[in-house]
Amino acid sequence: MKLILMFPLLLASLTAGAGSVPPAQTKPAPGVEGEVMKVLDDYMSAWNRKDLAGWERTFHFPHYRLAGGRMTVLDRPGLQDAAKVWASAGSEWDHSSWDRRSIIHSSPDKVHVDTRFSRYRADGTRIGSFDSLYILTKEEGRWGVKLRSSFAP
């Protein structure tokens, strides 16, 4: 009976250091924040220009988006219909901008960015603001957006 009760403690002590990964940091390594924010600036700039190829250049593939209760996966660039992409922002949409971007977790090759963006009409009135989580990864020496989880429709 004692052995059975002791087993969980024994197992925990044996596996405590096995395969452990250093915890994520809230403060990114020097230079990482600038690189990540540049990708997000390029992302928003391409989005506002309706430059689908430029927008996809800010992604890493496969690229994931979780919104409206659905996960979509893009395996490679060029799979999206540009008209449908921009129609998803709504018929009144003219441009978007970042309201908040804050790295909340960081490792040398992955960051979680807490964001809020707003959509605007041509006259500058706000359509809506949406909280999101963007996960950027560094692959083959380049940072890119790997996953977006948004409360935007």
Side-chain angles (χ1 to χ4, degrees), residues 47 50 52 80-90:
W47 173 260
K50 297 184 179 181
L52 187 59
Q80 301 183 90
D81 177 320
K84 288 181 182 177
V85 168
W86 279 279
S88 71

Side-chain angles (χ1 to χ4, degrees), residues 6 14 36 38-39 44 54 84 92-93 98 105 111 113 130 141 152:
M6 298 277 302
L14 290 174
V36 165
K38 169 88 168 76
V39 171
M44 189 64 75
K84 288 181 182 177
E92 296 182 293
W93 176 82
W98 297 114
H105 302 112
V111 297
V113 185
F130 308 95

